[in-house]
Amino acid sequence: MRVAWGLVLSGLLVASLNAGCRCGSGGSSTDAGGGGPDAGPDAARTDAATDSGGGGTFDGSPTDAVPTTDALPPATCGNAIVELPEECDDANTSADDYCLNDCTLACGDGLVNSVELCDTAIAAGSAGACPTSCDDGDACTTDALSGSDCTAECVHGAITAPAPGDGCCPPGENANTDTDCAPVCDNGVLEAGETCEPMASCPASCNDGDSCTSDTLTGAAATCDAACPFTIITACTAGDGCCPAGCIGVDADCSALCGNGALDPGETCDPVSSCPTSCFDVDPCTSDALSGNAMACSSSCPFTPVTMPFSGDMCCPPGANANNDGDCLPVCGNGIVEMGEGCDDGNVVSGDGCDATCQPEGPPPTTFRFTDLDLKDPHIYVDTGFPFGCQDVTNSVPLGLATPVNGQIQNAIQMDADGDGYLDLSFLLIFRPLDQTPGITGAMDLATGQCTAPMAGTSCDLQPMTMLNPTTFMNTASGTCLAAIPGTTTPRVGGYTPTITNTTGPCFVSGSIVIMLTIGGATITLQGSQVAATYVGVPAGSLSNGLERGFLSEADADAAIIDVPGFGMMPLSSLLPGGTGNCASFDDRDVGPDGTTMGWWFYLNFPATAVTYTGP
């Protein structure tokens, strides 16, 4: 399907050096298609670069990019050419970047400079050491290790949604909505073990005015378990003011004046004909037990209110609900999701995600926008001419003469250079809806957005004249969601840096799809494209360890003729190591998803943050 999901190439191919460099498109190599034109007499060459006919036998294994040491000239640090035993060579005098002045990588030198968050050579527990785990001991945060090597850091996200069993009781939840919450007195919700709520409604004493009931207070208002059972007295006990049934002549509290028509002390009724012999008030929320003895002028009907939830007594006492008392009907708007309800937000107002009948209104999609994007593999190589020759312009340009590829992508994502009110480049992940439950599979879209500037507080719509790219996502609680395919990261001498960061749980990974891009007038097809990221928070407010990958066949890269500012018209393959006309001294081609087609697997890392989305 054709979509405008601008992975990287829309930003990758604008890396140009200052005017005046010689931007060769063919070079003077005698290779017939292997490593491309020579980068100069001091360039370290690989076996693949000197093979005729495409670099010899290539199987995608890491050994394909191992340079030979035959007749290599001495390395010259500072000539912008990576020569053994150099790990890097950026031809500048700055020690505050990825490559130090002695042509070794900054990562692992025991110091943290401005491009690093930590250093792998610093001992664990010391300032500047790279984290290996991120448990902060707080059950109400998600703990993720973001980045790798010297860009590793711990990212913690707040858990604000109930998830029974995760050990967290988020703000606003209670024991009825999350089993990780303990009952809390005076929170306005009647929870397990409570008899009254809020605290002000709890009885402080018990006296129903009936001498034939025991007025005992149980529990306490301070713990919301206060209650007045009002148990009927049945024992013949002199002095308690009660004459129970069968106690006439035995209990001194039984009046000898019963029947004289006067209400004497200890009597509740007189004459006997006025004394109740049974109790029934048609109210299921009162106890209808007869107290006292009609023949002793001591009978009464206290009609004690029912306060405890109990299924089957036909009463729904105050504070009870359909979840803890089968005699209660579900009540929309009480803040408790009961039988038949899909939601209950404590009101009967529509338009807030839960309608007036407590049914979900279809939550809006949760959308994340990339806040940066870095190409990790392959790197972009161009022949800059004298004096620097073949250069990797992915992360740096000699002497800082221009902004490198990844820097240009970052600027486009974070800035509005053309002043039209929109950020120049926006990639969106749209979850419909977001569900972070482990093992869940859901629907999502990949899209190119039109997002307002500035980046802080941006609001996004679908980029005009583009399409949504529908796919699915699947969640994983732990382990790896997405990583580089073994044998597809064949790097230059010393390896690409920073390295690819794998996506680890809690995370999601999208389904495999085909993406078609229009770049510089050429159509580019990426096979087997997937995207994954680690959730930060519940619900997630951001994503870390984002990884995007897709395969570009060599045939498509050869056929795609693009206009690269500063270099003119050239095949896309001429920018990629191992491609026709590329100047890199090694072959970085891979095997595609079908196991036979040659090309390049692209790997890009990104972070993302949740944004407001107003599109379809």
Side-chain angles (χ1 to χ4, degrees), residues 415-424:
M415 299 172 61
D416 174 20
D418 58 11
D420 65 353
Y422 297 102
L423 298 167
D424 296 330

Side-chain angles (χ1 to χ4, degrees), residues 76-81 83 86 88-92 101-103 388:
T76 302
C77 183
N79 66 354
I81 301 169
E83 307 157 298
E86 294 176 341
C88 58
D89 195 324
D90 56 5
N92 65 39
N101 292 336
D102 61 357
C103 290
F388 299 117

Side-chain angles (χ1 to χ4, degrees), residues 16-23 384 386 401-402 565-567:
S16 61
L17 303 181
N18 281 359
C21 73
R22 180 177 64 82
C23 304
T384 66
F386 181 80
L401 294 176
F567 297 92

Side-chain angles (χ1 to χ4, degrees), residues 120-384:
T120 54
I122 299 176
S126 301
C130 293
T132 56
S133 62
C134 294
D135 187 359
D136 61 359
D138 184 352
C140 284
T141 62
T142 59
D143 308 315
L145 180 64
S146 177
S148 59
D149 299 326
C150 294
T151 62
E153 63 177 332
C154 289
V155 179
H156 305 288
I159 296 175
T160 59
D166 64 357
C168 171
C169 177
E173 302 304 323
N174 57 67
N176 294 340
T177 61
D178 193 325
T179 56
D180 297 301
C181 299
V184 176
C185 181
D186 209 34
N187 65 352
V189 179
L190 189 66
E191 300 162 290
E194 296 180 334
T195 59
C196 50
E197 187 71 54
M199 188 187 299
S201 69
C202 297
S205 62
C206 301
N207 186 358
D208 61 357
D210 185 351
S211 60
C212 283
T213 60
S214 59
D215 302 335
T216 303
L217 177 68
T218 61
T223 52
C224 291
D225 59 354
C228 296
F230 295 123
T231 306
I232 301 297
I233 295 174
T234 58
C236 305
T237 304
D240 61 2
C242 174
C243 178
C247 292
I248 298 175
V250 177
D251 192 330
D253 295 303
C254 296
S255 174
L257 301 176
C258 179
N260 65 357
L263 197 63
D264 300 307
E267 294 181 337
T268 58
C269 53
D270 203 328
V272 173
S273 59
S274 68
C275 297
T277 57
S278 63
C279 299
F280 183 66
D281 63 357
V282 196
D283 183 356
C285 284
T286 60
S287 61
D288 298 335
L290 177 67
S291 174
N293 185 349
M295 299 305 297
C297 295
S298 63
S299 63
S300 66
C301 295
F303 296 121
T304 306
V306 174
T307 59
M308 295 291 290
F310 183 80
S311 297
D313 62 0
M314 304 302 291
C315 172
C316 178
N321 58 70
N323 294 340
N324 59 20
D325 193 323
D327 300 300
C328 297
L329 295 175
V331 177
C332 181
N334 65 354
I336 300 170
V337 179
E338 300 162 293
M339 183 180 297
E341 297 179 338
C343 58
D344 197 319
D345 55 3
N347 63 55
V348 289
V349 178
S350 297
D352 57 0
C354 186
D355 67 18
T357 62
C358 286
Q359 297 304 318
E361 296 177 299
T366 298
T367 302
F368 296 90
R369 178 184 180 273
F370 289 17
T371 55
D372 192 10
L373 184 65
D374 291 309
L375 176 64
K376 295 297 186 69
D377 189 303
H379 277 200
I380 304 300
Y381 281 76
V382 295
D383 185 357
T384 66

Side-chain angles (χ1 to χ4, degrees), residues 7 58 154 188 296 307 459 486 504 529 545 562:
L7 272 170
F58 182 89
C154 289
T307 59
S459 176
T504 55
S529 298
N545 295 332
I562 61 174

Side-chain angles (χ1 to χ4, degrees), residues 467-557:
M467 298 167 54
L468 295 170
N469 187 20
T471 182
T472 59
F473 70 93
M474 185 176 69
N475 295 331
T476 298
S478 60
T480 301
C481 274
L482 192 64
I485 299 171
T488 64
T489 55
T490 309
R492 62 169 185 173
V493 177
Y496 293 142
T497 184
T499 58
I500 298 169
T501 299
N502 295 335
T503 301
T504 55
C507 54
F508 74 90
V509 60
S510 74
S512 179
I513 55 177
V514 176
I515 293 177
M516 299 181 70
L517 311 174
T518 299
I519 302 168
T523 298
I524 309 299
T525 301
L526 295 179
Q527 304 284 342
S529 298
Q530 287 182 279
V531 62
T534 299
Y535 293 118
V536 180
V538 180
S542 61
L543 305 174
S544 67
N545 295 332
L547 176 60
E548 189 166 2
R549 74 185 189 193
F551 179 77
L552 173 65
S553 73
E554 187 172 16
D556 286 342

